[in-house]
Amino acid sequence: MHKHDLPEDPTKHPARLRWGDCVREDAMPRRKPSRVIGVLTGEGIGPEVIGCALHVLSAVESATGRKFKIEFGAPIGREAERGGGKVLPDEVIEFCRGIFARGGAVLNGPGGGRYVYDLRRVFDLFCKLSPLKVSDELAAANRMKPEHVRGVDILMVRENASGLYQGKWTEARTPGGRVAEHCFSYSEAEVRRILRPAAAIANSRRGDLTVVYKEAGVPSISALWRDCALEISSLAGVRCSLLDIDHIAYRLIQHPGDFDVVVAPNLFGDVLSDLGGVLLGSRGLCFAGSFAGNGDAVYSTNHGSAFDLAGSDKANPVGQILSLAMLLRESLHLEEEARLIEDAVDSVCREGWRTADLAEAGCPVIGTREMGERIAQAVAPISGASGVQIRAPGRHARSEPHAEPGAAK
């Protein structure tokens, strides 16, 4: 019997409400979680950071005896567009549908163009959850004063399938020059369905919900968000604050400890999630899960493809590795395995190893692959497994070149 198969002391790690369960809509059919993980390696630095995440997953398999079925999908983003004209090919849509139908989830590398927006629209991934929890181990590497960000633990809840990014746009030429139009809207149903999980999660945490809008600048949509937020937060028994986007952008940096759960429309949530990367110390640490009401979910980093870093072994893989831990916890209901990955990341950071984005005096700077390797090697001692043989990076990679770490340019 492996150590991770033994009963856990509930006082040591109190149970946490799974956030993904809060997103589920009651009328939707429930599927039994499986151990199927669909992988879209992405482009740019995607194959490198995905390769590290899968290497860590191999270490978890070896340490715990729990096995996963890993399946790879086709290219996405600009790479796919060059090959077939679509950033989200039909082949990838069917691949994801197959993974979801079997109770699995998708681990997604970065893809360019409108790939992520199209993916969210097709699968109605309306709720994006981005944890912004500052690591004590990386406090000194943060560009902000360690004492200012220590203990910060925010969950950013972003409406993901409506609003500005899912609007309609046109461009026309007039005698006065080009005219570009972009129209978007929010329905009451769309606003309520993102506020409900945000309020439920806030109720399970510290009971504080911050709702982002722009009261005078976007009056009708802001009024809709305000009215729905006040009603839903009251029913959920949580405290509700309403803040304009410019005000919260300032306060998020100036007073980050004031916030617990923050819920925002699509554009505002996008900006604030990236801004939250400053609190963490690097965008390379940012990750998220995007959820549909029926339990379908895609897990990814919050950064882009970083084509300028592709193949250089300089990208930080930690955000992608932590997105894997989130997938195991939220979609596959594997709390122990998720915590094992998170503890391995903390262990390596505590030892002082850093990628270039987190360089600090006195700490050795290592590359993407070595960081992934060190996190994988940290899994066995944390799990208590003995004599574990950690397989080399790329064990899950398929034979096509783009699936190997560092292959995409």
Side-chain angles (χ1 to χ4, degrees), residues 15-216:
R16 173 178 74 71
L17 177 71
R18 277 192 294 268
W19 297 333
D21 289 345
C22 293
V23 182
R24 294 193 63 99
E25 295 170 327
D26 292 340
M28 295 290 186
R30 292 179 178 266
R31 303 187 187 105
K32 183 179 179 180
S34 69
R35 298 180 191 173
V36 177
I37 299 176
V39 177
L40 298 169
T41 55
E43 53 188 346
I45 62 171
E48 296 169 79
V49 295
I50 285 284
C52 289
L54 295 181
H55 184 32
V56 172
L57 184 63
S58 289
V60 171
E61 288 182 318
S62 297
T64 67
R66 195 181 294 277
K67 301 301 180 183
F68 299 90
K69 183 172 178 57
I70 309 300
E71 299 182 11
F72 290 86
I76 58 173
R78 293 170 185 170
E79 179 186 355
E81 190 173 32
R82 288 192 297 269
K86 292 182 179 181
V87 292
L88 176 59
D90 294 342
E91 180 184 357
V92 172
I93 294 173
E94 291 308 311
F95 170 77
C96 293
R97 281 184 179 144
I99 297 295
F100 297 148
R102 286 177 286 155
V106 172
L107 183 67
N108 203 152
R114 279 193 59 84
Y115 165 73
V116 292
Y117 309 113
D118 290 349
L119 184 73
R120 294 163 189 167
R121 175 181 49 78
V122 168
F123 291 103
D124 196 24
L125 302 170
F126 73 92
C127 180
K128 186 172 185 179
L129 303 178
S130 301
L132 299 172
K133 187 173 183 179
V134 174
S135 166
D136 290 341
E137 286 74 16
L138 295 174
N142 202 303
R143 297 330 186 234
M144 303 181 73
K145 293 180 179 179
E147 63 272 18
H148 183 66
V149 296
R150 187 170 284 114
V152 167
D153 182 1
I154 301 167
L155 181 65
M156 193 68 62
V157 182
R158 170 183 167 189
E159 198 291 313
N160 220 21
S162 304
L164 185 70
Y165 292 165
Q166 297 294 349
K168 296 179 180 179
W169 57 92
T170 61
E171 184 176 327
R173 293 187 178 274
T174 71
R178 293 163 62 193
V179 175
E181 293 185 356
H182 194 115
C183 301
F184 70 98
S185 63
Y186 268 110
S187 70
E188 183 174 351
E190 290 165 341
V191 175
R192 285 181 175 276
R193 75 170 181 168
I194 191 65
L195 288 170
R196 287 192 191 102
I201 294 170
N203 182 267
S204 73
R205 286 165 55 98
R206 301 193 300 274
D208 286 311
L209 180 67
T210 302
V211 181
V212 183
Y213 64 170
K214 183 65 178 175
E215 186 174 21

Side-chain angles (χ1 to χ4, degrees), residues 332-350:
L332 306 192
H333 299 181
L334 297 174
E335 174 66 30
E336 295 305 309
E337 287 75 6
R339 192 183 307 137
L340 182 55
I341 293 174
E342 293 161 349
D343 289 348
V345 169
D346 287 344
S347 175
V348 171
C349 293
R350 190 161 47 246

Side-chain angles (χ1 to χ4, degrees), residues 130-135 142-144 148-149 152-157 245 248-256 259 262 267-287 302-303 358:
S130 301
L132 299 172
K133 187 173 183 179
V134 174
S135 166
N142 202 303
R143 297 330 186 234
M144 303 181 73
H148 183 66
V149 296
V152 167
D153 182 1
I154 301 167
L155 181 65
M156 193 68 62
V157 182
I245 176 60
I248 190 174
Y250 167 80
R251 285 186 56 187
L252 191 66
I253 298 301
Q254 194 73 359
H255 303 287
F259 298 102
V262 177
L267 171 62
F268 296 166
D270 186 17
V271 173
L272 292 175
S273 295
D274 267 8
L275 190 59
V278 178
L279 302 176
L280 300 182
S282 169
R283 286 186 77 194
L285 301 174
C286 298
F287 64 98
N302 277 352
H303 57 69
L358 291 166

